Amino acid sequence: MRATVVVAGASLAGLRTAEQLRVAGWDGPVTLVGDEPHMPYNRPPLSKEVLAGRASFASLALRPRPAVHDVRWRLGTRVVRADLDRRTVTLADGETLPYGGLVVATGTRPRRLDCPGPRTGRHTVRTLDDARGLRTALTRPGARVVVVGAGFIGCEVAATAVALGAAEVTVVDPLPLPMVRPLGELLATALLARHERRGVRFALGTGVTAFTGDDRVTGAVLADGTVLAADVVVESVGSLPNTEWLDGNGLDLTDGVRTDAQLRAGGRPDVIAVGDVARFPNARYDGVPRRVEHWSMPGDTARHAARTLTAHLTGTEGARAPFAPLPTFWSDQHDLRLQCFGAPALGLDDVRVLDGDPAGDLVVGYHRGRRLVGVAALGGPAAAAA
C-alpha cells in the first residue's frame, strides 16, 4: 500500500498544496483535514465585500481542480497532535492517521485581547461564521463601532462599517498611524487622511484596557481613561499561528513553523509547511525566516513545497533553487485600493515617491541600500496601473 500524504489544514494553502502534489507527479493517496465544516473558501472578501453585502457567502467557495477529485476530505475536525518520529497525526475525534508525507497548513487564528469585561459583542474576522455574525451586528441601525487595531483587517472593517451607515466608527491602536508598521509613515499618513475624510475616527497612541457592560459590550476603556461608547467591538490585533499540535517534536515553533529554503520543517524531508503558518527564508531578500500573511503565499508556497515533498516520496531529490517568491497583496478601503509588491517592510528607512503625491494617487518605493525591495500604490485606477 502506498504512503498517504496528510494535509493538516483544508483552507486555501492546503487545497493548493494538494493540487500541486498532483501537478508535481504524486499520484498516491491524499487526505485533507480541516476544522471548519466548509469546503475551502476565499478569506479576503470576508472583511470587505461580504460584510458590505456585495458578495454572498456561497460565492467565496473555491472550486477544487479535477486533479484532486480522489482526495479524502475530513472536515469538521482538526489535528490535535502529531508524532513526527512515528509519522502519525491524531484528530480531535480520536482517529489516528499514518502518513508518508505531512503538509502543515493549519494557518493562523485571531489574537484576542486579554481585557476584563463582557465577551458578547466582541468580534473577530477570520471565518465565514465570524463574518456572518459581524455583518448582522453592523447592519443594526445606529451601531457604534470600535475597531481595535489599525492594520489591514481593522482598516477594511472600519471602511465597511462607515459604508453600512454606522453611527460612529472609531479605530484604536497603540501605534501613531494606521498600518505604519508594514507601510511606513508616508503612506500611513496619507491613508489616515483618507479615512478621516470619510468619517472614520482614530484614537492612536493608546490601547484598550477594559470593556464596559454587563451581558454585552457597551464601551471600550482606553489607557488614558477615556470610554468609547460601543455596540460592536472588532478585535483586529494580529494573529497566532496554529502550531500547538506540533509541540514536542523538536521543531522551531517560535513564530509559526520554521522551515529551510525548500519549505521543509525542521530539516525533515517528509514534513513541509505552507501558507500563513510557514516561517521561511526568502532568497530574494536575505536568509532571515519570516512568516508572510499575504494572499499570494498559499499558492506560492504550495507550488514549491509540493515539489519538495514529491521529490522525497518518489526518490527523485536533487539540487533545487531556494524558495524566492515575490509577495503581493492588496487592500480595498472605501473607494480606494492599496496594492503592494515585494517586501515594503524591509525598506522603511528609505521610502521615496515614485509617482503622484500624498494628496492624490500615490506610488511609493521602498529601498534597502541601493535596491528597490517594495512598491506600494494607493488611490484609484491610475495609481494601481502606475
Side-chain angles (χ1 to χ4, degrees), residues 80-82 84 102 104 106 242-251 253 257 271:
V80 296
R81 189 166 55 257
L84 302 190
L102 176 63
V104 180
T106 40
N242 294 316
T243 59
E244 292 81 1
W245 61 281
L246 289 165
D247 285 345
N249 285 285
L251 300 179
L253 305 177
V257 179
V271 182

Side-chain angles (χ1 to χ4, degrees), residues 138 140-145 161-162 164-170 199 201 231:
L138 290 179
R140 291 172 183 154
R144 298 166 300 178
V145 182
V162 166
L164 288 173
E168 297 177 4
V169 179
T170 305
R201 303 176 183 178
D231 306 298

Side-chain angles (χ1 to χ4, degrees), residues 129-194:
D129 293 337
D130 291 340
R132 287 189 176 107
L134 180 55
R135 174 163 172 77
T136 298
L138 290 179
T139 52
R140 291 172 183 154
R144 298 166 300 178
V145 182
V146 170
V147 180
V148 187
F152 287 96
I153 299 298
C155 287
E156 290 171 357
V157 171
T160 302
V162 166
L164 288 173
E168 297 177 4
V169 179
T170 305
V171 180
V172 181
D173 197 287
L175 295 177
L177 291 167
M179 297 178 63
V180 67
R181 188 167 288 158
L183 299 178
E185 292 186 9
L186 176 63
L187 207 55
T189 300
L191 193 65
L192 173 64
R194 286 158 168 76

Side-chain angles (χ1 to χ4, degrees), residues 151-304:
F152 287 96
I153 299 298
C155 287
E156 290 171 357
V157 171
T160 302
V162 166
L164 288 173
E168 297 177 4
V169 179
T170 305
V171 180
V172 181
D173 197 287
L175 295 177
L177 291 167
M179 297 178 63
V180 67
R181 188 167 288 158
L183 299 178
E185 292 186 9
L186 176 63
L187 207 55
T189 300
L191 193 65
L192 173 64
R194 286 158 168 76
H195 274 282
E196 290 180 330
R197 285 200 298 268
R198 290 163 174 80
V200 179
R201 303 176 183 178
F202 286 84
L204 300 171
T206 188
V208 173
T209 59
F211 294 101
T212 61
D214 295 323
D215 297 330
R216 63 179 297 115
V217 167
T218 59
V221 182
L222 305 187
D224 63 1
T226 301
V227 179
L228 300 176
D231 306 298
V232 181
V233 170
V234 182
E235 297 177 44
S236 179
V237 291
S239 59
L240 295 171
N242 294 316
T243 59
E244 292 81 1
W245 61 281
L246 289 165
D247 285 345
N249 285 285
L251 300 179
D252 181 348
L253 305 177
T254 305
D255 178 27
V257 179
R258 180 172 179 170
T259 77
D260 62 13
Q262 302 300 337
L263 299 176
R264 294 174 293 218
R268 293 177 176 266
D270 56 340
V271 182
I272 56 174
V274 297
D276 293 352
V277 76
R279 180 163 56 97
F280 58 87
N282 188 335
R284 183 180 292 272
Y285 303 110
D286 53 35
V288 179
R290 301 180 181 89
R291 284 196 311 111
V292 182
E293 295 186 32
H294 297 332
W295 188 87
S296 62
M297 280 301 105
D300 290 343
T301 54
R303 279 188 291 274
H304 197 93

Side-chain angles (χ1 to χ4, degrees), residues 2 20 34 40 49 76 108 126 208 244 256 263 273 301 303 322 350 374:
R2 300 194 68 183
Q20 289 299 318
E49 291 91 341
T108 63
R126 176 65 182 174
V208 173
E244 292 81 1
L263 299 176
T301 54
R303 279 188 291 274
D350 186 359

Side-chain angles (χ1 to χ4, degrees), residues 28-50:
V30 177
T31 298
L32 279 91
V33 182
D35 58 349
E36 292 188 71
H38 315 287
M39 290 290 285
Y41 58 88
N42 200 16
R43 293 186 191 275
L46 293 179
S47 57
K48 302 181 282 288
E49 291 91 341
V50 171

Side-chain angles (χ1 to χ4, degrees), residues 283-374:
R284 183 180 292 272
Y285 303 110
D286 53 35
V288 179
R290 301 180 181 89
R291 284 196 311 111
V292 182
E293 295 186 32
H294 297 332
W295 188 87
S296 62
M297 280 301 105
D300 290 343
T301 54
R303 279 188 291 274
H304 197 93
R307 291 194 292 267
T308 296
L309 184 57
T310 300
H312 166 68
L313 293 172
T314 58
T316 58
E317 292 174 286
R320 296 179 58 218
F323 189 46
L326 176 67
T328 62
F329 59 96
W330 76 93
S331 178
D332 293 324
Q333 301 173 27
H334 304 290
D335 55 348
L336 304 169
R337 167 159 284 201
L338 170 69
Q339 290 186 283
C340 294
F341 306 87
L346 298 183
L348 295 182
D349 291 335
D350 186 359
V351 182
R352 310 173 197 172
V353 175
L354 302 180
D355 191 46
D357 64 82
D361 289 345
L362 179 64
V363 181
V364 298
Y366 299 81
H367 299 78
R368 195 185 201 189
R370 297 182 178 180
R371 184 181 178 197
L372 180 69
V373 294

